Amino acid sequence: MTSPSDAVVLIGPMGAGKTSIGKKAARALGVPFFDTDAAVVRDHGPIERLFAEHGEAHFRALERAAVAEGLATGGIVSLGGGAVLHPETRADLAQRRVVLLTVAPRVVAGRVRDSQRPLLQGDDAIERWTAIYEERRPVYEQLADVTFDTSSGPIQDIVDALVAWVRGEDDPEETA
């Protein structure tokens, strides 16, 4: 991985571990790590506030700019769960290696409990998470070159499998 076009992009639902796995994989590969949500927060403030004050459409435009920045940076790029909804992002990902991280609803419950994530606000966060995931899953699956489930086992095992796949040491069918 030496140029931005070599970016490996992590996609998947909220709470799947894109940031934590992405950071570890980037470190193992010796490449930059870029998180689109972190870039939006860095440049524009908390996501919850952006949603509250400007709405989801405004946030998605800021997110799209962060995706473009991340893809230009290269390395491991972690996308916010809804970033794949933008047509330009989907077109950009067609030229990249895309990794889908999945997680079971029973596991994500602990990961997003007490979350400030705007799309999970309301009566039943896990019900909302499941509905959002089911809505986005066809897009995730269409874009993905390989899938890793983060529901069980040590995070390092997933990182190791991802790194091996990036290096071409593993058959994607075996790790999916």
Side-chain angles (χ1 to χ4, degrees):
M1 295 182 59
T2 55
S3 73
S5 63
D6 292 335
V8 173
V9 182
L10 305 183
I11 63 172
M14 296 174 269
K18 297 179 297 288
T19 299
S20 54
I21 291 168
K23 284 179 181 177
K24 290 177 182 291
R27 195 173 313 119
L29 292 164
V31 299
F33 173 72
F34 190 95
D35 183 301
T36 60
D37 283 347
V40 170
V41 170
R42 176 196 69 210
D43 294 344
H44 305 284
I47 292 171
E48 307 81 53
R49 192 189 56 165
L50 292 170
F51 263 76
E53 294 178 5
H54 304 285
E56 185 175 357
H58 178 75
F59 168 75
R60 295 291 174 206
L62 300 175
E63 180 180 55
R64 172 62 195 147
V67 168
E69 180 185 351
L71 295 177
T73 300
I76 303 290
V77 181
S78 171
L79 270 53
V84 298
L85 301 175
H86 198 290
E88 289 176 32
T89 295
R90 289 195 303 272
D92 287 346
L93 296 187
Q95 314 306 315
R96 304 295 195 299
R97 292 179 287 176
V98 179
V99 176
L100 170 58
L101 297 181
T102 60
V103 62
R106 64 176 168 69
V107 174
V108 85
R111 295 181 187 175
V112 300
R113 186 179 300 121
D114 301 323
S115 172
Q116 297 304 307
R117 298 168 194 246
L119 294 179
L120 296 184
Q121 300 310 301
D123 291 340
D124 187 340
I126 297 310
E127 186 177 301
R128 291 188 47 72
W129 179 91
T130 302
I132 291 166
Y133 178 51
E134 290 303 322
E135 179 183 310
R136 295 174 181 172
R137 183 164 41 185
V139 177
Y140 291 146
E141 291 174 352
Q142 177 188 20
L143 294 170
D145 295 309
V146 65
T147 299
F148 297 97
D149 185 77
T150 68
S151 299
S152 63
I155 189 174
Q156 193 59 47
D157 290 353
I158 298 160
V159 172
D160 293 345
L162 172 58
V163 167
W165 179 78
V166 169
R167 291 180 173 153
E169 299 168 357
D170 233 345
D171 179 355
E173 295 306 312
E174 294 174 13
T175 57

mmCIF file with all atom_site columns, all heavy atoms in Angstrom, residues 157-172:
data_model
loop_
_atom_site.group_PDB
_atom_site.id
_atom_site.type_symbol
_atom_site.label_atom_id
_atom_site.label_alt_id
_atom_site.label_comp_id
_atom_site.label_asym_id
_atom_site.label_entity_id
_atom_site.label_seq_id
_atom_site.pdbx_PDB_ins_code
_atom_site.Cartn_x
_atom_site.Cartn_y
_atom_site.Cartn_z
_atom_site.occupancy
_atom_site.B_iso_or_equiv
_atom_site.pdbx_formal_charge
_atom_site.auth_seq_id
_atom_site.auth_comp_id
_atom_site.auth_asym_id
_atom_site.auth_atom_id
_atom_site.pdbx_PDB_model_num
ATOM 1   N N   . ASP A 1 157 ? -7.724  -11.101 16.444 1.00 0.00 ? 157 ASP A N   1
ATOM 2   C CA  . ASP A 1 157 ? -7.905  -12.122 15.412 1.00 0.00 ? 157 ASP A CA  1
ATOM 3   C C   . ASP A 1 157 ? -8.494  -11.515 14.143 1.00 0.00 ? 157 ASP A C   1
ATOM 4   O O   . ASP A 1 157 ? -8.106  -11.877 13.030 1.00 0.00 ? 157 ASP A O   1
ATOM 5   C CB  . ASP A 1 157 ? -8.820  -13.250 15.918 1.00 0.00 ? 157 ASP A CB  1
ATOM 6   C CG  . ASP A 1 157 ? -8.170  -14.105 16.994 1.00 0.00 ? 157 ASP A CG  1
ATOM 7   O OD1 . ASP A 1 157 ? -6.960  -13.931 17.270 1.00 0.00 ? 157 ASP A OD1 1
ATOM 8   O OD2 . ASP A 1 157 ? -8.887  -14.945 17.571 1.00 0.00 ? 157 ASP A OD2 1
ATOM 9   N N   . ILE A 1 158 ? -9.429  -10.593 14.308 1.00 0.00 ? 158 ILE A N   1
ATOM 10  C CA  . ILE A 1 158 ? -10.037 -9.929  13.154 1.00 0.00 ? 158 ILE A CA  1
ATOM 11  C C   . ILE A 1 158 ? -9.009  -9.034  12.479 1.00 0.00 ? 158 ILE A C   1
ATOM 12  O O   . ILE A 1 158 ? -8.887  -9.020  11.256 1.00 0.00 ? 158 ILE A O   1
ATOM 13  C CB  . ILE A 1 158 ? -11.285 -9.134  13.584 1.00 0.00 ? 158 ILE A CB  1
ATOM 14  C CG1 . ILE A 1 158 ? -12.326 -10.108 14.149 1.00 0.00 ? 158 ILE A CG1 1
ATOM 15  C CG2 . ILE A 1 158 ? -11.860 -8.336  12.423 1.00 0.00 ? 158 ILE A CG2 1
ATOM 16  C CD1 . ILE A 1 158 ? -13.360 -9.473  15.015 1.00 0.00 ? 158 ILE A CD1 1
ATOM 17  N N   . VAL A 1 159 ? -8.238  -8.302  13.289 1.00 0.00 ? 159 VAL A N   1
ATOM 18  C CA  . VAL A 1 159 ? -7.178  -7.444  12.744 1.00 0.00 ? 159 VAL A CA  1
ATOM 19  C C   . VAL A 1 159 ? -6.192  -8.290  11.948 1.00 0.00 ? 159 VAL A C   1
ATOM 20  O O   . VAL A 1 159 ? -5.828  -7.940  10.818 1.00 0.00 ? 159 VAL A O   1
ATOM 21  C CB  . VAL A 1 159 ? -6.466  -6.666  13.872 1.00 0.00 ? 159 VAL A CB  1
ATOM 22  C CG1 . VAL A 1 159 ? -5.244  -5.925  13.334 1.00 0.00 ? 159 VAL A CG1 1
ATOM 23  C CG2 . VAL A 1 159 ? -7.429  -5.695  14.549 1.00 0.00 ? 159 VAL A CG2 1
ATOM 24  N N   . ASP A 1 160 ? -5.751  -9.399  12.521 1.00 0.00 ? 160 ASP A N   1
ATOM 25  C CA  . ASP A 1 160 ? -4.778  -10.266 11.842 1.00 0.00 ? 160 ASP A CA  1
ATOM 26  C C   . ASP A 1 160 ? -5.327  -10.799 10.518 1.00 0.00 ? 160 ASP A C   1
ATOM 27  O O   . ASP A 1 160 ? -4.614  -10.835 9.505  1.00 0.00 ? 160 ASP A O   1
ATOM 28  C CB  . ASP A 1 160 ? -4.377  -11.436 12.744 1.00 0.00 ? 160 ASP A CB  1
ATOM 29  C CG  . ASP A 1 160 ? -3.577  -11.004 13.974 1.00 0.00 ? 160 ASP A CG  1
ATOM 30  O OD1 . ASP A 1 160 ? -3.076  -9.852  14.008 1.00 0.00 ? 160 ASP A OD1 1
ATOM 31  O OD2 . ASP A 1 160 ? -3.459  -11.818 14.904 1.00 0.00 ? 160 ASP A OD2 1
ATOM 32  N N   . ALA A 1 161 ? -6.591  -11.218 10.520 1.00 0.00 ? 161 ALA A N   1
ATOM 33  C CA  . ALA A 1 161 ? -7.210  -11.718 9.290  1.00 0.00 ? 161 ALA A CA  1
ATOM 34  C C   . ALA A 1 161 ? -7.320  -10.612 8.244  1.00 0.00 ? 161 ALA A C   1
ATOM 35  O O   . ALA A 1 161 ? -7.058  -10.840 7.055  1.00 0.00 ? 161 ALA A O   1
ATOM 36  C CB  . ALA A 1 161 ? -8.580  -12.310 9.592  1.00 0.00 ? 161 ALA A CB  1
ATOM 37  N N   . LEU A 1 162 ? -7.681  -9.420  8.676  1.00 0.00 ? 162 LEU A N   1
ATOM 38  C CA  . LEU A 1 162 ? -7.782  -8.278  7.770  1.00 0.00 ? 162 LEU A CA  1
ATOM 39  C C   . LEU A 1 162 ? -6.418  -7.933  7.176  1.00 0.00 ? 162 LEU A C   1
ATOM 40  O O   . LEU A 1 162 ? -6.278  -7.746  5.964  1.00 0.00 ? 162 LEU A O   1
ATOM 41  C CB  . LEU A 1 162 ? -8.366  -7.072  8.508  1.00 0.00 ? 162 LEU A CB  1
ATOM 42  C CG  . LEU A 1 162 ? -8.373  -5.738  7.765  1.00 0.00 ? 162 LEU A CG  1
ATOM 43  C CD1 . LEU A 1 162 ? -9.146  -5.821  6.463  1.00 0.00 ? 162 LEU A CD1 1
ATOM 44  C CD2 . LEU A 1 162 ? -8.945  -4.647  8.654  1.00 0.00 ? 162 LEU A CD2 1
ATOM 45  N N   . VAL A 1 163 ? -5.404  -7.881  8.008  1.00 0.00 ? 163 VAL A N   1
ATOM 46  C CA  . VAL A 1 163 ? -4.044  -7.564  7.549  1.00 0.00 ? 163 VAL A CA  1
ATOM 47  C C   . VAL A 1 163 ? -3.565  -8.622  6.550  1.00 0.00 ? 163 VAL A C   1
ATOM 48  O O   . VAL A 1 163 ? -3.000  -8.298  5.501  1.00 0.00 ? 163 VAL A O   1
ATOM 49  C CB  . VAL A 1 163 ? -3.077  -7.418  8.745  1.00 0.00 ? 163 VAL A CB  1
ATOM 50  C CG1 . VAL A 1 163 ? -1.630  -7.397  8.288  1.00 0.00 ? 163 VAL A CG1 1
ATOM 51  C CG2 . VAL A 1 163 ? -3.416  -6.158  9.542  1.00 0.00 ? 163 VAL A CG2 1
ATOM 52  N N   . ALA A 1 164 ? -3.812  -9.896  6.864  1.00 0.00 ? 164 ALA A N   1
ATOM 53  C CA  . ALA A 1 164 ? -3.424  -10.976 5.943  1.00 0.00 ? 164 ALA A CA  1
ATOM 54  C C   . ALA A 1 164 ? -4.136  -10.817 4.605  1.00 0.00 ? 164 ALA A C   1
ATOM 55  O O   . ALA A 1 164 ? -3.530  -10.986 3.536  1.00 0.00 ? 164 ALA A O   1
ATOM 56  C CB  . ALA A 1 164 ? -3.740  -12.336 6.568  1.00 0.00 ? 164 ALA A CB  1
ATOM 57  N N   . TRP A 1 165 ? -5.426  -10.456 4.640  1.00 0.00 ? 165 TRP A N   1
ATOM 58  C CA  . TRP A 1 165 ? -6.172  -10.257 3.396  1.00 0.00 ? 165 TRP A CA  1
ATOM 59  C C   . TRP A 1 165 ? -5.603  -9.092  2.598  1.00 0.00 ? 165 TRP A C   1
ATOM 60  O O   . TRP A 1 165 ? -5.409  -9.195  1.384  1.00 0.00 ? 165 TRP A O   1
ATOM 61  C CB  . TRP A 1 165 ? -7.661  -10.039 3.705  1.00 0.00 ? 165 TRP A CB  1
ATOM 62  C CG  . TRP A 1 165 ? -8.466  -9.807  2.465  1.00 0.00 ? 165 TRP A CG  1
ATOM 63  C CD1 . TRP A 1 165 ? -8.886  -10.752 1.572  1.00 0.00 ? 165 TRP A CD1 1
ATOM 64  C CD2 . TRP A 1 165 ? -8.922  -8.547  1.962  1.00 0.00 ? 165 TRP A CD2 1
ATOM 65  N NE1 . TRP A 1 165 ? -9.577  -10.149 0.547  1.00 0.00 ? 165 TRP A NE1 1
ATOM 66  C CE2 . TRP A 1 165 ? -9.610  -8.802  0.759  1.00 0.00 ? 165 TRP A CE2 1
ATOM 67  C CE3 . TRP A 1 165 ? -8.806  -7.235  2.415  1.00 0.00 ? 165 TRP A CE3 1
ATOM 68  C CZ2 . TRP A 1 165 ? -10.191 -7.791  0.010  1.00 0.00 ? 165 TRP A CZ2 1
ATOM 69  C CZ3 . TRP A 1 165 ? -9.390  -6.224  1.667  1.00 0.00 ? 165 TRP A CZ3 1
ATOM 70  C CH2 . TRP A 1 165 ? -10.068 -6.503  0.474  1.00 0.00 ? 165 TRP A CH2 1
ATOM 71  N N   . VAL A 1 166 ? -5.292  -7.996  3.266  1.00 0.00 ? 166 VAL A N   1
ATOM 72  C CA  . VAL A 1 166 ? -4.742  -6.824  2.576  1.00 0.00 ? 166 VAL A CA  1
ATOM 73  C C   . VAL A 1 166 ? -3.417  -7.179  1.915  1.00 0.00 ? 166 VAL A C   1
ATOM 74  O O   . VAL A 1 166 ? -3.132  -6.765  0.792  1.00 0.00 ? 166 VAL A O   1
ATOM 75  C CB  . VAL A 1 166 ? -4.570  -5.635  3.558  1.00 0.00 ? 166 VAL A CB  1
ATOM 76  C CG1 . VAL A 1 166 ? -3.749  -4.514  2.930  1.00 0.00 ? 166 VAL A CG1 1
ATOM 77  C CG2 . VAL A 1 166 ? -5.931  -5.116  3.998  1.00 0.00 ? 166 VAL A CG2 1
ATOM 78  N N   . ARG A 1 167 ? -2.617  -7.956  2.607  1.00 0.00 ? 167 ARG A N   1
ATOM 79  C CA  . ARG A 1 167 ? -1.302  -8.357  2.075  1.00 0.00 ? 167 ARG A CA  1
ATOM 80  C C   . ARG A 1 167 ? -1.391  -9.452  1.024  1.00 0.00 ? 167 ARG A C   1
ATOM 81  O O   . ARG A 1 167 ? -0.387  -9.849  0.452  1.00 0.00 ? 167 ARG A O   1
ATOM 82  C CB  . ARG A 1 167 ? -0.401  -8.820  3.223  1.00 0.00 ? 167 ARG A CB  1
ATOM 83  C CG  . ARG A 1 167 ? 0.016   -7.691  4.135  1.00 0.00 ? 167 ARG A CG  1
ATOM 84  C CD  . ARG A 1 167 ? 0.896   -8.205  5.249  1.00 0.00 ? 167 ARG A CD  1
ATOM 85  N NE  . ARG A 1 167 ? 1.449   -7.106  6.035  1.00 0.00 ? 167 ARG A NE  1
ATOM 86  C CZ  . ARG A 1 167 ? 1.808   -7.198  7.293  1.00 0.00 ? 167 ARG A CZ  1
ATOM 87  N NH1 . ARG A 1 167 ? 1.711   -8.347  7.941  1.00 0.00 ? 167 ARG A NH1 1
ATOM 88  N NH2 . ARG A 1 167 ? 2.295   -6.137  7.931  1.00 0.00 ? 167 ARG A NH2 1
ATOM 89  N N   . GLY A 1 168 ? -2.593  -9.990  0.814  1.00 0.00 ? 168 GLY A N   1
ATOM 90  C CA  . GLY A 1 168 ? -2.762  -11.045 -0.171 1.00 0.00 ? 168 GLY A CA  1
ATOM 91  C C   . GLY A 1 168 ? -2.348  -12.406 0.336  1.00 0.00 ? 168 GLY A C   1
ATOM 92  O O   . GLY A 1 168 ? -2.086  -13.316 -0.454 1.00 0.00 ? 168 GLY A O   1
ATOM 93  N N   . GLU A 1 169 ? -2.278  -12.565 1.650  1.00 0.00 ? 169 GLU A N   1
ATOM 94  C CA  . GLU A 1 169 ? -1.837  -13.822 2.246  1.00 0.00 ? 169 GLU A CA  1
ATOM 95  C C   . GLU A 1 169 ? -2.980  -14.772 2.497  1.00 0.00 ? 169 GLU A C   1
ATOM 96  O O   . GLU A 1 169 ? -2.763  -15.909 2.897  1.00 0.00 ? 169 GLU A O   1
ATOM 97  C CB  . GLU A 1 169 ? -1.115  -13.547 3.579  1.00 0.00 ? 169 GLU A CB  1
ATOM 98  C CG  . GLU A 1 169 ? 0.114   -12.685 3.411  1.00 0.00 ? 169 GLU A CG  1
ATOM 99  C CD  . GLU A 1 169 ? 0.667   -12.176 4.736  1.00 0.00 ? 169 GLU A CD  1
ATOM 100 O OE1 . GLU A 1 169 ? 0.054   -12.449 5.805  1.00 0.00 ? 169 GLU A OE1 1
ATOM 101 O OE2 . GLU A 1 169 ? 1.688   -11.500 4.713  1.00 0.00 ? 169 GLU A OE2 1
ATOM 102 N N   . ASP A 1 170 ? -4.203  -14.309 2.333  1.00 0.00 ? 170 ASP A N   1
ATOM 103 C CA  . ASP A 1 170 ? -5.365  -15.115 2.660  1.00 0.00 ? 170 ASP A CA  1
ATOM 104 C C   . ASP A 1 170 ? -6.356  -15.048 1.528  1.00 0.00 ? 170 ASP A C   1
ATOM 105 O O   . ASP A 1 170 ? -6.549  -14.017 0.908  1.00 0.00 ? 170 ASP A O   1
ATOM 106 C CB  . ASP A 1 170 ? -6.039  -14.538 3.923  1.00 0.00 ? 170 ASP A CB  1
ATOM 107 C CG  . ASP A 1 170 ? -6.241  -15.585 4.987  1.00 0.00 ? 170 ASP A CG  1
ATOM 108 O OD1 . ASP A 1 170 ? -6.129  -16.780 4.664  1.00 0.00 ? 170 ASP A OD1 1
ATOM 109 O OD2 . ASP A 1 170 ? -6.532  -15.203 6.116  1.00 0.00 ? 170 ASP A OD2 1
ATOM 110 N N   . ASP A 1 171 ? -7.009  -16.171 1.261  1.00 0.00 ? 171 ASP A N   1
ATOM 111 C CA  . ASP A 1 171 ? -8.089  -16.206 0.294  1.00 0.00 ? 171 ASP A CA  1
ATOM 112 C C   . ASP A 1 171 ? -9.320  -15.577 0.935  1.00 0.00 ? 171 ASP A C   1
ATOM 113 O O   . ASP A 1 171 ? -9.763  -16.043 1.983  1.00 0.00 ? 171 ASP A O   1
ATOM 114 C CB  . ASP A 1 171 ? -8.371  -17.667 -0.074 1.00 0.00 ? 171 ASP A CB  1
ATOM 115 C CG  . ASP A 1 171 ? -9.506  -17.820 -1.071 1.00 0.00 ? 171 ASP A CG  1
ATOM 116 O OD1 . ASP A 1 171 ? -10.152 -16.806 -1.409 1.00 0.00 ? 171 ASP A OD1 1
ATOM 117 O OD2 . ASP A 1 171 ? -9.731  -18.948 -1.509 1.00 0.00 ? 171 ASP A OD2 1
ATOM 118 N N   . PRO A 1 172 ? -9.883  -14.536 0.325  1.00 0.00 ? 172 PRO A N   1
ATOM 119 C CA  . PRO A 1 172 ? -11.038 -13.864 0.928  1.00 0.00 ? 172 PRO A CA  1
ATOM 120 C C   . PRO A 1 172 ? -12.198 -14.807 1.220  1.00 0.00 ? 172 PRO A C   1
ATOM 121 O O   . PRO A 1 172 ? -12.930 -14.609 2.165  1.00 0.00 ? 172 PRO A O   1
ATOM 122 C CB  . PRO A 1 172 ? -11.454 -12.812 -0.088 1.00 0.00 ? 172 PRO A CB  1
ATOM 123 C CG  . PRO A 1 172 ? -10.386 -12.725 -1.081 1.00 0.00 ? 172 PRO A CG  1
ATOM 124 C CD  . PRO A 1 172 ? -9.504  -13.924 -0.925 1.00 0.00 ? 172 PRO A CD  1
#
